[in-house]
Amino acid sequence: MPVRDLLDLRLLEQWLDEFRHLGYLTGSEIRVLPQQDETELNRGLIVVDLSEAATITYLQPIPGSDGRWMATMEARDTTIELTAVAIVNLGNELNVLGALVSFLEAKSRALLVNQ
């Protein structure tokens, strides 16, 4: 069974709360949004707003995988110019994003094993 079929808004919120309690520092806003899919009303995806890049990234399981996740960054219309400090801060946001994807993969694989 694909892990996506086992995920709902409540479970994603629970996992995100667990991740927040791990104490990672980031300027990103991380939240769960209902997925725009009329056939699956209780599905969601995790959205991350990277503050230093002013871009939205959404996280979802890779279809047909063993619980792996991917991050999709939306295209931008404008150029980003960053100071040295902003680059370091963006790097931190991306490190936390990588930790979140790893966390979601571990939770997904555990969920699949228990099915």
Side-chain angles (χ1 to χ4, degrees), residues 1-7 43 61-65 67 111-112 115:
M1 169 180 292
V3 72
R4 175 161 293 294
D5 292 346
L6 303 173
L7 301 176
R43 289 239 174 106
I62 297 172
S65 74
L111 185 64
L112 288 169
Q115 288 304 307

Side-chain angles (χ1 to χ4, degrees), residues 16-36:
L16 197 51
D17 284 342
E18 286 180 45
F19 182 77
R20 284 185 184 113
H21 283 91
L22 294 176
Y24 287 95
L25 298 177
T26 181
S28 304
E29 180 184 346
I30 305 171
R31 63 195 184 283
V32 177
L33 290 180
Q35 192 167 1
Q36 301 297 321

